[in-house]
Amino acid sequence: MKRLLWLAALLPVVCPAKTFYLVIAGLGGEPDYEQRFSGLADEAAKAFNAPGGDSAVTELKGAGANKAAIQSALDQIAHQATPADALVLLMIGHGSFDGDDYKFNIPGPDLSAHELAEMLNRVPASKQLVADTTSASGAVLKPLEHPGRIVVTATRDGMERNATVFARFWIEALHDNTADTDKNESISALEAFTYAQHKTAKFYEEEKRIATEHPAISDSSRAGLFTVVRFGSAASAAADPAKKHLMAQRDDLEAKIDALKQQKNTMDEADYKKQLTALLIELAKTQGEIDR
């Protein structure tokens, strides 16, 4: 039991009081891309605005997606957010990498990975998800590394510089219930990533083209516990003050179960089974209360 309490102390808050979403559509460079990026941003914002608890959604695109506007949006979130909150940043468009620094192509001066890291580090939300779906986005994995932050990219490094299709499928996952593999009426960061990764690979296979993008994720374990969107009864429960604490309790139990499983090889087998059984029983009871 002492081991379980120690593990619980290391876990971040798993059910944020509020989720802040920032969707940015960068420069397209030509009309077709401009329209595509703008449409994807609208689609994502719509998914994030769906009922499902406390959230705040900001969308920047076109001329309004410049560095000053991004800085202002993140500064505003930094002033409003608390450590109990979560931040989701979605970047759509083109990126570039010169071998040293990644840059997100936006109106006016481009935004570098190091500049973005400084902005994000000022946001107190203890749970952060950055989904950079641009070309060369793999180059942000190291610069954006930070405790409690999950980074999803469309490419595995900065050398994959062709336009990506990953964004389309990552956003599609937010609307497609088949992405919900554990059937809890929520799409986690890991479920969205896995769905989009599979769809991206299938796209190149069906088009008979050599894949020029290989999606990456920085922390799949935490990503499985990071809820991006909810639907159905989960959305209704998250929006119901009477059930919100039960949702928090359920997420906390799921996080403890995940942490316990990761420690299995270092524990006495009987002790592991005893603790796991107790947590699973408590989880079943909590889910039953939510489903009432």
Side-chain angles (χ1 to χ4, degrees), residues 109 170 212 242 265 279:
W170 197 87
T212 55
N265 294 334
L279 286 170

Side-chain angles (χ1 to χ4, degrees), residues 96-153:
S96 62
F97 181 64
D98 61 7
D100 180 48
D101 200 6
Y102 163 90
K103 291 186 177 180
F104 181 35
N105 302 156
I106 55 176
D110 289 338
L111 178 67
S112 74
H114 296 289
E115 289 173 323
L116 178 59
E118 290 179 359
M119 296 177 189
L120 290 171
N121 291 347
R122 290 195 288 269
V123 177
S126 62
K127 291 186 63 184
Q128 298 186 11
L129 168 65
V130 178
D132 186 343
T133 64
T134 72
S135 48
S137 53
V140 308
L141 287 166
K142 189 65 177 177
L144 296 189
E145 194 175 67
H146 191 269
R149 182 180 299 149
I150 302 160
V151 182
V152 170
T153 60

Side-chain angles (χ1 to χ4, degrees), residues 82-99:
T82 71
D85 295 327
L87 167 67
V88 175
L89 169 62
L90 173 60
M91 300 159 63
I92 304 166
H94 294 308
S96 62
F97 181 64
D98 61 7

